Amino acid sequence: MNIGHIAYTYEPLIGGAENYIKTFINLFRTPEFRHHVYQKKVKNENPAVKFVPTFAFPFLRRKPFYVFNLFLNLRFFDLIKEDVLIVHDPFHFWPVIWKKNVIVLSHGVRWDRPSARERYYNKVHHLSARLALKYAPKLVANDSHFFRRLGLNVKPKTNMFKEVAKNHWFIPNCVDTHYFTKNEGVPNLKKLKLILVPRNIVPGRGIHLVI
């Protein structure tokens, strides 16, 4: 089976989203599964990575990932060879809406940025999520808040790992508590007065659940 992953960034692995894809590929790294990742152009020699031309239009003053969507179908003849496409953000679904076997993955609400400068960003991501909700063959969210914001009645801490509506699945992120558990720590680090600096403290990342 050929599995194509669509993500604006993958290699180099610099964050959680990239490592999420890497972990997924490693879990299904067997002879019957062949993975390809469609990402923006970077310096990379991995044959499993297929690049999409990406650049900024100065006069549009928009981020290059908008251009990524516009040019994604330059890889059309590669995309049609994939048995299934896993789209790692609803925003990237609309260029491949023509594909029959698509799984759209959401990693949270991305249309609630408070800055007035982000109005266009919020609108585009909200519309993309609604498009995926209506037309994606399969839609998977890792939090129920995403579905509630789109009008589905999914209560917190319910229906985990289940189909909450037809073709809509709630599969939360998980932690292996046998591996990630309290231990004696690293002696050299324990001597330091460390300051923990969390990243991405926004509602879309579930900060309200932490509080």
Side-chain angles (χ1 to χ4, degrees):
M1 173 180 283
N2 293 321
I3 302 176
H5 300 261
I6 297 177
Y8 179 64
T9 57
Y10 172 54
E11 291 190 351
L13 305 177
I14 58 174
E18 294 84 1
N19 280 281
Y20 182 98
I21 299 171
K22 185 69 174 179
T23 301
F24 185 101
I25 291 175
N26 287 338
L27 287 172
F28 291 90
R29 192 180 294 280
T30 58
E32 61 265 33
F33 294 110
R34 293 169 296 279
H35 297 269
H36 307 101
V37 181
Y38 299 81
Q39 71 159 80
K40 70 173 183 176
K41 178 71 174 178
V42 295
K43 292 182 179 179
N44 190 297
E45 297 181 357
N46 185 347
V49 176
K50 297 181 180 292
F51 298 116
V52 176
T54 309
F55 52 86
F57 288 112
F59 58 90
L60 289 179
R61 301 178 63 185
R62 297 297 175 194
K63 295 180 179 179
F65 61 71
Y66 293 99
V67 179
F68 175 86
N69 275 8
L70 293 175
F71 290 114
L72 180 58
N73 278 304
L74 290 177
R75 286 287 187 175
F76 177 79
F77 292 105
D78 291 315
L79 293 169
I80 61 175
K81 296 177 183 176
E82 307 293 357
D83 296 302
V84 59
L85 286 180
I86 299 178
V87 181
H88 290 268
D89 191 317
F91 174 69
H92 298 307
F93 170 61
W94 56 265
V96 294
I97 196 172
W98 52 268
K99 185 80 172 177
K100 289 185 178 180
N101 200 2
V102 177
I103 300 172
V104 178
L105 299 184
S106 163
H107 296 278
V109 173
R110 297 188 62 187
W111 59 85
D112 57 357
R113 295 188 176 186
S115 172
R117 294 180 299 176
E118 301 285 2
R119 285 196 304 265
Y120 180 81
Y121 178 98
N122 289 338
K123 183 177 293 187
V124 168
H125 282 274
H126 188 208
L127 290 174
S128 298
R130 296 194 67 83
L131 185 75
L133 184 75
K134 187 172 183 179
Y135 294 109
K138 295 287 189 299
L139 176 61
V140 179
N142 66 356
D143 69 294
S144 57
H145 179 62
F146 174 84
F147 284 129
R148 286 194 298 276
R149 288 291 299 270
L150 294 175
L152 295 184
N153 184 22
V154 183
K155 295 181 180 180
K157 300 181 181 180
T158 64
N159 297 300
M160 291 184 286
F161 306 100
K162 294 181 180 179
E163 190 176 20
V164 299
K166 185 177 180 180
N167 297 325
H168 300 148
W169 292 79
F170 171 32
I171 302 180
N173 291 339
C174 299
V175 174
D176 184 347
T177 54
H178 293 287
Y179 182 83
F180 294 97
T181 185
K182 187 176 182 180
N183 55 36
E184 297 178 356
V186 181
N188 290 337
L189 290 179
K190 292 176 69 174
K191 295 177 182 179
L192 301 176
K193 295 182 179 180
L194 298 176
I195 300 175
L196 178 64
V197 182
R199 297 178 61 247
N200 290 331
I201 303 301
V202 295
R205 296 292 182 178
I207 186 60
H208 60 294
L209 300 177
V210 176
I211 295 175

